[in-house]
């Protein structure tokens, strides 16, 4: 049986870098990459070099049914999900509070907060049935520049929610038959190195890596 890898997240340079690392290790992997749907932002597509290896799957983050369908579809195509990598690259939205757009608020909640809960639920349930599996939660904490008279109303809340969820899932998984690995980076322009670090840590197969927050740092130095 080949190694079954599922990657899910919004389109970003980080999810693209994670996909590149997956393509270096397996002939095929499953990916569910949703476009950045905020009105003022653009997303980064998956690198063309992984197109042949990628099995594209559909995911509507705001739907619990879609989370279940995605998990089952990935299992059908891969035979088993051995590693599920959830990639959160928070959006930036520099506006004054009165300038917020209702549709963007819905997008932030569904695509960057709500969806993770549904997907974590389905993946951990499958891992528990199979009595094995690794759930990997990867967070980019890079903040962009904005207007001098406004603050980022999207990035920090999204990052805080994802981090809290990851820490909660990690604590709740003690004694379970699957592993939880959590990662973060605040280093701009280092997505390929960060992605390589994520996979290196995953492949160490060291139980001591579970239950820790793995922080990617500058110049190849990593704090945990």
């Amino acid at each position: 049986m080949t190694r079954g890898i599922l990657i899910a997240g919004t389109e970003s340079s980080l999810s693209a870098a994670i996909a590149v690392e997956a393509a270096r290790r397996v002939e095929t992997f499953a990916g569910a990459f949703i476009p950045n749907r905020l009105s003022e932002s653009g997303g980064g597509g998956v690198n063309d070099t992984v197109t042949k290896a990628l099995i594209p799957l559909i995911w509507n983050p705001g739907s619990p049914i879609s989370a279940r369908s995605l998990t089952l579809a990935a299992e059908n195509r891969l035979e088993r999900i051995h590693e599920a990598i959830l990639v959160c690259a928070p959006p930036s939205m520099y506006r004054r509070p009165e300038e917020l757009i209702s549709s963007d608020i819905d997008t932030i909640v569904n695509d960057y907060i709500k969806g993770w809960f549904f997907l974590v639920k389905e993946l951990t349930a499958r891992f528990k049935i199979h009595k094995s599996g690794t759930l990997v939660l990867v967070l980019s904490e890079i903040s962009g520049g904005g207007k001098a008279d406004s603050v980022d109303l999207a990035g920090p809340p999204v990052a805080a929610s994802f981090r809290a969820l990851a820490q909660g899932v990690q604590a709740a998984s003690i004694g379970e038959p699957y592993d939880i690995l959590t990662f973060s980076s605040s280093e701009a322009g280092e997505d390929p190195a960060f992605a390589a670090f994520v996979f290196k840590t995953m492949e160490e197969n060291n139980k001591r890596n579970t239950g820790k927050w793995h922080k990617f740092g500058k110049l190849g130095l990593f704090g945990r």
Side-chain angles (χ1 to χ4, degrees), residues 4-6 71 74-75 78-84 123 127 132-133:
I5 299 176
L6 168 66
T71 303
E75 282 201 330
L78 301 171
E79 295 186 28
R80 274 278 304 278
I81 302 173
H82 297 95
E83 297 155 347
L123 290 168
F127 289 158
S132 66

Side-chain angles (χ1 to χ4, degrees), residues 2-86:
T2 59
R3 178 181 177 186
I5 299 176
L6 168 66
I7 305 171
T10 51
E11 291 180 348
S12 66
S13 58
L14 178 55
S15 60
I18 294 285
V20 168
E21 290 297 321
R24 289 173 177 165
R25 289 163 169 80
V26 293
E27 289 187 5
T28 59
F29 68 94
F33 302 104
I34 59 174
N36 188 327
R37 296 185 282 197
L38 290 178
S39 59
E40 67 184 39
S41 302
V46 176
N47 194 299
D48 289 340
T49 61
V50 306
T51 301
K52 291 183 179 180
L54 173 64
I55 301 171
L57 298 177
I58 297 173
W59 177 38
N60 174 10
S63 166
I65 296 175
S66 182
R68 178 167 297 182
S69 297
L70 170 60
T71 303
L72 294 176
E75 282 201 330
N76 288 337
R77 299 297 298 274
L78 301 171
E79 295 186 28
R80 274 278 304 278
I81 302 173
H82 297 95
E83 297 155 347
I85 307 172
L86 310 187

